[in-house]
Amino acid sequence: MNKNIIAAAVLTLVSGLAAAQSNVTIYGNVDVGLQTQNHTPVGAAKTTMANGGISPSIWGFRGTEDLGNGLKATFNLEGHFKPDTGEMESGARTGTNLFRRQSNVGLSSANMGTLTLGNQYGPAVLAFAATDPRGLRENFSGLYSWAYNSGVLSGSGNGNNDVGVFLQNAISYSKAIGPVGLAAGYSVSEKKGAVYSLGATYAGPVSLSASYQQANVANTSERGSRMYSIGAGYSMDALTVKANFLRGDNKNAALVETSKVNVFGLGAEFKTAANNTVGASIYFGKDKNNGNDKTNTFILSDEYSMSKRTTLYAQLAYADAKVGSTLLTSVINGGTAANQNTSVLNVGIKHSF
């Protein structure tokens, strides 16, 4: 009897020590609102319940275990859903995967950096986000310049490259050296196509970023899509200004170049109060292979934080789309009608948990 009591006490103590050394966090966002626009692409509704105005609606688990000597084991599982219907958010090549966005494990050390294996954010897009004028908000931002020029529209068939943002079958390494962040990632081909992703940032009152990402055509060593960007920002008191240039080149499965797009973004955000931020940005997109594919987009926004977790927002985009404009030059989810001046109004609420 005493032996059983002692064994139970030891097990309880060991479990307590394990819990003290490990932690798991459940986290996510729910972001939904109303969106209306005066001109839409053929077949699209003018007024919608819009998912993800400023942030994606996600849920996930992340955790760490202290392995001693400054080394930690990490994991991250993250899914994407539609709060208006409760469905999983599908991807062009991922279907309705439960953890479409992230499913990875790694080792992390302040001295040695972080090694991550599995489905994960590409290092290049993370660097790009640092100087995008709208910080890669879920709509009306450089996120769509990046995604639409990542090869998803060209038919090159890379199965490891989910809209240029998430890399599957990937291994990455990142290291911070003071204010400088360096990261590199590689997706193992597995007959889906290799992806190479590089990012570098500098953080301070002056911020800098540079990125490069290449996705090969499936079952070949030939490049299908290539993107690179450079950007800079400056913060002073309540004002932050950012500028970014993105170049995206795409080929189809036959290795014929289909597009060569330049997108330049410039914007500013100003905190009118501790819990309120207004912003103004403009993006100029043009396909050098198609002079008629050109879209200029101007965005005004206001975000009011009711608490640390809950934000009300309103954003207005005005897009001047030329006669041959396509998604390649758009920064709006789903694009706008060609040869039209389109206004898009989106108001909503985001809650984080």
Side-chain angles (χ1 to χ4, degrees):
M1 181 70 177
N2 290 336
K3 289 182 179 179
N4 291 337
I5 294 174
I6 293 171
V10 171
L11 287 173
T12 301
L13 177 60
V14 170
S15 298
L17 289 173
Q21 293 173 344
S22 306
N23 70 82
V24 176
T25 301
I26 301 173
Y27 70 95
N29 298 316
V30 183
D31 184 325
V32 66
L34 286 174
Q35 181 170 299
T36 184
Q37 60 190 87
N38 58 348
H39 299 294
T40 61
V42 176
K46 289 190 175 182
T47 300
T48 60
M49 183 71 74
N51 299 312
I54 58 175
S55 297
S57 291
I58 60 174
W59 65 286
F61 306 89
R62 57 177 168 239
T64 62
E65 180 188 10
D66 189 348
L67 301 175
N69 297 317
L71 184 64
K72 294 181 179 180
T74 67
F75 80 90
N76 203 164
L77 304 173
E78 185 176 290
H80 198 171
F81 67 95
K82 301 177 181 180
D84 59 334
T85 63
E87 299 173 285
M88 297 300 295
E89 184 72 62
S90 62
R93 300 185 178 90
T94 57
T96 55
N97 290 7
L98 181 62
F99 297 117
R100 173 194 173 189
R101 299 173 66 91
Q102 295 196 80
S103 53
N104 55 67
V105 66
L107 295 172
S108 179
S109 164
N111 293 328
M112 296 185 291
T114 299
L115 179 72
T116 306
L117 294 88
N119 181 31
Q120 57 190 283
Y121 285 92
V125 74
L126 295 178
F128 177 69
T131 57
D132 175 64
R134 282 181 43 82
L136 287 202
R137 283 172 174 81
E138 192 67 5
N139 203 359
F140 311 153
S141 79
L143 173 64
Y144 290 93
S145 301
W146 186 272
Y148 291 143
N149 287 282
S150 68
V152 68
L153 301 177
S154 66
S156 59
N158 185 291
N160 281 323
N161 178 18
D162 186 1
V163 296
V165 176
F166 310 107
L167 305 185
Q168 297 166 351
N169 300 303
I171 179 170
S172 72
Y173 173 76
S174 61
K175 178 77 168 78
I177 307 172
V180 177
L182 301 172
Y186 171 70
S187 285
V188 180
S189 177
E190 294 192 3
K191 296 185 177 181
K192 295 181 178 182
V195 182
Y196 307 86
S197 186
L198 303 170
T201 59
Y202 175 86
V206 174
S207 58
L208 302 171
S209 77
S211 64
Y212 177 87
Q213 185 160 297
Q214 174 180 318
N216 289 351
V217 176
N219 294 312
T220 77
S221 59
E222 300 290 341
R223 172 177 59 84
S225 69
R226 175 180 61 188
M227 298 185 293
Y228 56 87
S229 75
I230 56 172
Y234 178 70
S235 296
M236 180 179 63
D237 299 324
L239 177 66
T240 299
V241 180
K242 294 180 181 179
N244 192 290
F245 172 79
L246 169 68
R247 174 68 171 270
D249 300 336
N250 278 275
K251 297 178 181 179
N252 59 23
L255 301 180
V256 176
E257 187 173 82
T258 59
S259 61
K260 185 175 290 186
V261 175
N262 291 339
V263 181
F264 176 75
L266 175 65
E269 292 185 341
F270 184 78
K271 295 185 73 66
T272 60
N275 63 342
N276 194 77
T277 302
V278 297
S281 301
I282 190 166
Y283 292 86
F284 304 94
K286 183 178 181 179
D287 184 354
K288 294 176 68 66
N289 286 354
N290 178 6
N292 290 322
D293 188 355
K294 181 179 180 181
T295 308
N296 299 330
T297 310
F298 180 67
I299 302 118
L300 293 174
S301 64
D302 185 87
E303 297 176 13
Y304 175 76
S305 299
M306 302 181 70
S307 69
K308 290 183 178 180
R309 297 180 179 273
T310 303
T311 301
L312 298 177
Y313 61 85
Q315 43 194 6
L316 175 66
Y318 174 81
D320 176 14
K322 302 305 180 186
V323 64
S325 65
T326 70
L327 291 173
L328 291 170
T329 57
S330 180
V331 296
I332 296 175
N333 185 9
T336 58
N339 204 28
Q340 297 281 359
N341 294 330
T342 301
S343 297
V344 187
L345 175 64
N346 175 221
V347 294
I349 182 169
K350 182 200 80 169
H351 178 75
S352 301
F353 60 88

